[in-house]
Amino acid sequence: MFPRPAPGHRLATAAVALGLLCSLNTSAWAGARNPAGATPDSPSHGHPRVTRVPSAAGSATPLAGYAIRSTAEVGDSATAVSSPGYPAKGWYPAGPRSTVLAALLADGVYDDPFVSTNLQKIPKSPFQVPWWYRSDFTVTDPSHRTYLDFSGVISAADVYVNGHRVATTDEVTGAYTHHELDVTSLVTSGTNTVAFRVQPNNPNKNLTMGWLDWLQPPPDQNMGIVRDVLVRRGGPVALRDAHVVTKLAVPSLATADLTVKAEARNDSDTPVTAEVSGTVAGVTLTRSVELAAHQTRTVTFTSADTPGLHLVSPKVWWPAGMGGQPLYDLDLTASVAGTASDTAHESFGIRDVRAPLDSDGARQYSINGRRLLIKGGGWSPDEFLRWDRTYVEERLKYALDLGLNAIRLEGHIEPDEFFGLADRLGVLTLPGWECCDKWEGQTNPGESGEKWTAADYSVAQASMAAEAARLRDHPSVISFLIGSDAAPDAKIEKNYLDALNAADWAVPVVPAASAKSAPQLGGSGMKMTGPYDWVPPGYWYAKREGGATGFNSETSAGPDIPTLDTLRRMMTPAELDTLWKNPDAKQYHRSPSATFGTLKIYDAALTGRYGAPKSLTDYVRKAQLAQYENVRAQYEAYGRNQTDVSKPSTGVVYWMFNSGWTSLHWQLMDRYLDQGGAYFGAKKANEPLHVQYSYDDRSVVVVGNRPAPASRLTVRATIFNPDGTQKYDQTVSGVSVGGDGARTTALTLPASVSGLSSTYLARLTLTDADGREVSRNVYWLSTKSDTLDWAKTDWYYTPTTSYADLTGLSSMAQVPVTATASTTEADGTSTTTVTVRNAGTGKTPALLTDVHLVDANGKPVLPVRWSDNQVSLWPGESATLTATYRTADLHGSLAQVRVSGWNAVERTVPAALPEPSVPLSSR
């Protein structure tokens, strides 16, 4: 979906629609891998596929790809380069959405940038001059009107069609601004050429995208074209800005009123009468509109003039876990003299989102009248902005698997398909502008972004208008954050709000992700108090700094060391040796920031709590244990405190959900979608019905994360020394808990237990009325607490002056864990069922037993979704786990499962398909 130009602005051949009031494109999901209407030819080196553009009214066909080349290597004129038949010999092929470096990587110019320091070896100089993007398209009927419709140019571009410049870099600038160029007079029958001369990007100078301290930035700074360029066809009247404003009756949800709007624009030199007709939610719409030459009029349908738009018993959209995700469709056609001139289609959902500030000044979201705790993660796109729909969908499904309900996009706002996927999956999204570069250059003097020029105000407002129009119909979008670390000043805020209001923006606008205020909107209701580096699990229970009170927009204990499989893919043996031996070493795969350049704080905690690592394998296993307990505690603390009377928690965004490259920090899963302690700690904390331990007051609490209440539950808490000797046991029956985040305290563990070692284990179980175990949670704890020096809290962490003693875990004897596994397959999806059992004859439990699905070569099969994992088993206990994955990801291999853990003897067993049955008649 793309926005429209400003109302009343004539689309002259060389004009750009950088209008401040924007609207939606008529096609949803433009740019899918095989978009309707596009029939590209076969690509060849330097000669991308020619896009065949149909003449059908309302068609919007994305260019299939480009040939690209540095202007330093092209001596020909712009007229020549942008003319049909130009021999683009030696040019690089690029996809329809591609940065310069993404194209060069695809063409094998540079080695895999995710491995070792290969990224550092790519020179920057080739990307400090403009690059040409050139593409051909064919039409058979030039009498129809033709437009170029696009956004996503980084950082700016001159645009040419068939040898003529139709827009300049002053007009086409900014990653998010939308542009529509009427090129009808230039298009001929047969082959036509469009060329972009794309300028270099500098996120401190341009309102585009930057990476700050997330990862080592790409040498090209993402210069290129990262969204589809559409070729639109139509008749004299264009339909733009089609959208639906919904008003749901809350709390009854019994009715909803729809308002349908669209712009009818006469692009001809003579007056016309257009018939605008269509359907929405099964309701027929029709309206006759008289338009003078080059006039634009808004066509509006309301329940006052179209009674059917007052819906009774509407299908209401809910986040996953709270209800279904039904979507409605709007289809419109503008006809002139009985002939279709243009069409528009939008999908939308009906829901009500509110986010007032509570009595403590924290932002409290509710949807459809039901309050909810935002449990989210910070989203990162691919470092080179390569769009892969399947990869994105898998990550969103991982979010649901983790029990999360929201994703925050700080800048790097993804293409339309991302939000379409979020709509269908029920994942809430919190898009907004990014911090610390040009976007906050006017209001955040402590960062590197330059002050704004007069032109920047227009670009920012146009960017806001374009994104508001693009995102407003997506029910998954529940806010827009117009600031991140800083809030906009009065002028910038007014421009943003004017654009949002003009776009009929209906969900809350948040002035900043930090505790900043804006003149009109007031306080943000959010905090950005960190931490971003290691803190102990107990930190999260303190109602201060980053602890579980209010809405923490970005926070975590920093490093998230990947699995050993991933580490060996991304680092050399020498780098891996340094990883576990030298905490002071600069880690290229952590961050370019001096603050986050090493793992010193994290490694000191790992050694102080668990003991010094003895090998790479020992370092990684301790890291997985530490990450499991810390991530679990973060989500559990926010989950427990959400119903507090005083200073409740209202939202938490794990920083970050994923990384755009191979990273050592800020990720719940790694680049390759492998899962370790951080992943399964989050999954455990957010399970639907959950029993948990509180680090602050030793209470054992049941939290109902599902909508329905539960009763007749039984909670059992048992404490063991690491050798499995039981030291305490208490059972409480008749426990009840409400839904939607309610909690019940079942019991409190004693402050001291006779004979307890300095390191000990606490096993919590929750069983239902039928005696079925619905939640099990095992903690490794110490009689010696972690001690925080709150007075020395910095923006990124609070120092720990003494550590909990968890070294006793190293004394746990190795235990045999047996496993049996089998696999079934249907419709391209395989399910492997694994039963793991602690076969030890003593008392020692198998702590954090991990099961990895691997192929015949021992390589992880990814992505995969486990019913549960990293389970702890006492002797004689077993657990049955299931893994679901695409059969094709086995690449013809037989599935196997590799069982390991803190003190389990590692083993790999087959998980073959069952033998096919043989009919009796053939025996």
Side-chain angles (χ1 to χ4, degrees):
M1 294 176 285
F2 286 81
R4 63 169 173 81
H9 179 71
R10 180 174 179 176
L11 299 178
T13 298
V16 159
L18 190 62
L20 301 180
L21 307 177
C22 300
S23 74
L24 298 175
N25 167 347
T26 58
S27 68
W29 287 69
R33 291 182 173 179
N34 292 295
T39 53
D41 294 329
S42 300
S44 61
H45 186 80
H47 296 279
R49 296 172 294 181
V50 175
T51 306
R52 296 175 183 169
V53 176
S55 299
S59 64
T61 308
L63 295 177
Y66 304 91
I68 71 169
R69 190 92 185 253
S70 168
T71 57
E73 299 173 342
V74 178
D76 298 310
S77 68
T79 297
V81 169
S82 61
S83 295
Y86 177 78
K89 294 179 180 178
W91 289 40
Y92 300 100
R97 307 172 185 176
S98 180
T99 66
V100 172
L101 185 51
L104 299 182
L105 290 170
D107 207 38
V109 176
Y110 302 113
D111 292 334
D112 185 347
F114 291 153
V115 174
S116 186
T117 56
N118 288 347
L119 181 64
Q120 193 175 42
K121 298 171 185 175
I122 300 174
K124 296 180 180 179
S125 57
F127 314 111
Q128 294 173 357
V129 298
W131 278 66
W132 279 112
Y133 276 63
R134 186 185 186 283
S135 189
D136 291 335
F137 65 92
T138 61
V139 301
T140 57
D141 185 356
S143 66
H144 287 77
R145 303 203 72 82
T146 305
Y147 312 87
L148 293 182
D149 191 330
F150 59 92
S151 65
V153 175
I154 302 178
S155 66
D158 296 298
V159 186
Y160 296 81
V161 173
N162 290 346
H164 299 269
R165 188 169 69 177
V166 295
T168 68
T169 55
D170 289 338
E171 298 163 317
V172 178
T173 182
Y176 299 103
T177 55
H178 169 256
H179 315 276
E180 184 177 13
L181 312 178
D182 188 336
V183 295
T184 304
S185 64
L186 298 176
V187 171
T188 62
S189 179
T191 301
N192 298 267
T193 299
V194 57
F196 293 80
R197 185 164 53 201
V198 178
Q199 297 297 309
N201 183 40
N202 183 334
N204 289 321
K205 296 178 181 292
N206 309 119
L207 290 168
T208 53
M209 301 181 192
W211 294 96
L212 194 64
D213 51 9
W214 297 12
L215 45 72
Q216 299 292 350
D220 72 337
Q221 296 285 6
N222 295 136
M223 70 179 295
I225 302 174
V226 298
R227 293 183 182 170
D228 288 327
V229 174
L230 301 176
V231 182
R232 287 180 175 274
R233 306 302 304 284
V237 173
L239 272 181
R240 298 292 185 265
D241 199 29
H243 64 284
V244 182
V245 181
T246 67
K247 185 172 179 57
L248 177 64
V250 175
S252 72
L253 313 185
T255 62
D257 287 286
L258 309 183
T259 299
V260 176
K261 292 185 178 182
E263 301 289 340
R265 188 184 69 218
N266 180 7
D267 287 335
S268 73
D269 296 326
T270 59
V272 298
T273 298
E275 295 294 328
V276 178
S277 61
T279 60
V280 62
V283 179
T284 300
L285 309 172
T286 183
R287 185 71 46 80
S288 180
V289 185
E290 294 184 357
L291 297 167
H294 305 292
Q295 182 185 15
T296 299
R297 290 181 61 185
T298 301
V299 182
T300 303
F301 302 90
T302 71
S303 56
D305 55 53
T306 309
L309 296 182
H310 177 74
L311 304 184
V312 177
S313 300
K315 300 173 185 176
V316 177
W317 188 95
W318 292 94
M322 295 181 73
Q325 293 78 46
L327 296 174
Y328 288 90
D329 291 312
L330 166 67
D331 289 286
L332 293 175
T333 299
S335 301
V336 176
T339 300
S341 179
D342 202 1
T343 63
H345 172 81
E346 291 297 324
S347 294
F348 64 96
I350 297 175
R351 52 88 176 98
D352 176 272
V353 178
R354 301 180 191 183
L357 303 187
D358 68 13
S359 59
D360 298 305
R363 195 164 292 274
Q364 175 64 69
Y365 279 84
S366 66
I367 188 159
N368 304 331
R370 286 166 60 182
R371 174 174 142 167
L372 77 161
L373 171 72
I374 295 295
K375 293 188 290 187
W379 181 266
S380 175
D382 172 74
E383 175 169 2
F384 309 108
L385 304 184
R386 296 171 293 192
W387 174 258
D388 185 325
R389 183 185 184 280
T390 299
Y391 183 59
V392 168
E393 183 174 5
E394 291 298 342
R395 283 182 286 166
L396 290 175
K397 288 180 177 178
Y398 267 19
L400 297 180
D401 184 53
L402 290 173
L404 304 185
N405 57 24
I407 289 294
R408 179 184 167 212
L409 298 95
E410 187 202 350
H412 306 87
I413 305 174
E414 293 278 33
D416 300 331
E417 293 98 320
F418 175 91
F419 297 96
L421 285 167
D423 291 343
R424 287 193 293 280
L425 293 172
V427 179
L428 303 174
T429 62
L430 296 160
W433 304 129
E434 65 194 54
C435 86
C436 310
D437 53 22
K438 185 59 175 280
W439 284 101
E440 294 186 349
Q442 194 66 20
T443 56
N444 197 348
E447 296 296 340
S448 55
E450 293 185 358
K451 293 286 188 181
W452 285 18
T453 65
D456 290 323
Y457 288 91
S458 296
V459 172
Q461 188 173 8
S463 300
M464 185 72 266
E467 289 303 287
R470 191 173 72 94
L471 300 177
R472 64 191 163 193
D473 274 343
H474 289 285
S476 59
V477 178
I478 59 166
S479 273
F480 199 96
L481 281 69
I482 58 174
S484 181
D485 292 33
D489 61 23
K491 181 178 180 180
I492 297 172
E493 180 193 31
K494 182 180 184 303
N495 287 347
Y496 285 154
L497 293 179
D498 286 350
L500 286 158
N501 291 334
D504 292 322
W505 189 259
V507 295
V509 180
V510 181
S514 61
K516 300 293 177 65
S517 299
Q520 291 188 55
L521 294 171
S524 70
M526 294 188 176
K527 65 179 183 179
M528 193 185 284
T529 47
Y532 299 90
D533 214 324
W534 192 87
V535 292
Y539 171 97
W540 302 106
Y541 284 85
K543 289 199 173 185
R544 58 180 297 174
E545 316 304 339
T549 181
F551 195 122
N552 199 339
S553 67
E554 50 182 63
T555 187
S556 75
D560 288 300
I561 305 301
T563 64
L564 195 55
D565 294 293
T566 290
L567 287 171
R568 286 172 171 157
R569 290 180 70 176
M570 63 186 264
M571 300 171 78
T572 66
E575 290 166 342
L576 292 174
D577 210 38
T578 299
L579 175 67
W580 74 272
K581 289 181 177 178
N582 189 355
D584 294 321
K586 291 284 187 181
Q587 293 292 342
Y588 185 70
H589 284 267
R590 187 161 187 212
S591 172
S593 163
T595 303
F596 305 121
T598 74
L599 292 166
K600 186 174 182 178
I601 296 170
Y602 176 85
D603 286 352
L606 208 63
T607 294
R609 300 175 90 241
Y610 289 98
K614 301 173 183 177
S615 64
L616 174 64
T617 300
D618 187 46
Y619 177 80
V620 174
R621 78 182 187 121
K622 286 174 176 172
Q624 301 312 314
L625 208 65
Q627 288 154 199
Y628 187 105
E629 65 162 341
N630 213 312
V631 175
R632 174 179 60 181
Q634 177 176 335
Y635 281 113
E636 283 184 339
Y638 274 85
R640 187 199 71 174
N641 290 359
Q642 64 183 298
T643 54
D644 285 359
V645 174
S646 175
K647 300 177 69 175
S649 57
T650 62
V652 60
V653 176
Y654 188 88
W655 203 251
M656 300 178 63
F657 175 71
N658 68 294
S659 179
W661 83 319
T662 42
S663 178
L664 297 172
H665 78 163
W666 297 350
Q667 56 189 355
L668 290 175
M669 80 288 299
D670 64 42
R671 165 67 196 180
Y672 304 115
L673 301 183
D674 204 355
Q675 306 146 322
Y679 187 97
F680 291 113
K683 182 176 172 68
K684 175 56 63 178
N686 297 317
E687 61 188 353
L689 196 56
H690 180 61
V691 62
Q692 65 185 62
Y693 168 79
S694 305
Y695 282 84
D696 57 343
D697 61 11
R698 304 183 311 283
S699 61
V700 174
V701 175
V702 179
V703 179
N705 290 315
R706 63 187 190 179
S711 60
R712 299 171 61 200
L713 303 172
T714 299
V715 174
R716 182 182 181 187
T718 314
I719 293 176
F720 303 86
N721 282 341
D723 64 2
T725 303
Q726 182 175 308
K727 293 296 180 180
Y728 172 86
D729 190 35
Q730 184 176 355
T731 300
V732 178
S733 58
V735 176
S736 299
V737 66
D740 287 343
R743 78 158 191 258
T744 297
T745 299
L747 60 98
T748 299
L749 296 183
S752 63
V753 175
S754 177
L756 196 63
S757 59
S758 58
T759 303
Y760 63 96
L761 303 175
R763 183 185 66 195
L764 310 180
T765 59
L766 180 69
T767 53
D768 63 16
D770 297 323
R772 183 175 62 93
E773 187 174 279
V774 293
S775 177
R776 167 183 285 226
N777 215 344
V778 176
Y779 294 81
W780 36 105
L781 303 168
S782 175
T783 56
K784 178 186 176 185
S785 299
D786 296 291
T787 305
L788 288 153
D789 190 350
W790 292 104
K792 293 184 179 179
T793 296
D794 206 335
W795 66 269
Y796 61 97
Y797 87 122
T798 298
T800 303
T801 56
S802 64
Y803 298 108
D805 179 11
L806 299 174
T807 57
L809 296 179
S810 296
S811 68
M812 294 178 70
Q814 280 202 325
V815 296
V817 176
T818 61
T820 58
S822 62
T823 300
T824 60
E825 192 273 335
D827 299 324
T829 297
S830 288
T831 300
T832 294
T833 301
V834 186
T835 298
V836 287
R837 182 176 181 273
N838 181 341
T841 56
K843 297 180 179 179
T844 306
L847 182 63
L848 221 66
T849 301
D850 178 270
V851 184
H852 251 69
L853 185 75
V854 297
D855 63 18
N857 296 316
K859 180 180 177 181
V861 177
L862 300 167
V864 60
R865 280 180 291 281
W866 287 95
S867 59
D868 195 7
N869 210 325
Q870 300 200 342
V871 295
S872 296
L873 302 170
W874 268 251
E877 288 185 334
S878 63
T880 298
L881 318 173
T882 58
T884 306
Y885 53 97
R886 287 187 297 264
T887 305
D889 289 336
L890 281 169
H891 303 292
S893 173
L894 294 177
Q896 301 186 91
V897 292
R898 183 181 66 214
V899 181
S900 61
W902 175 256
N903 62 324
V905 179
E906 183 175 316
R907 65 183 66 203
T908 301
V909 300
L913 292 164
E915 292 292 333
S917 59
V918 179
L920 290 173
S921 58
S922 63
R923 292 178 183 175

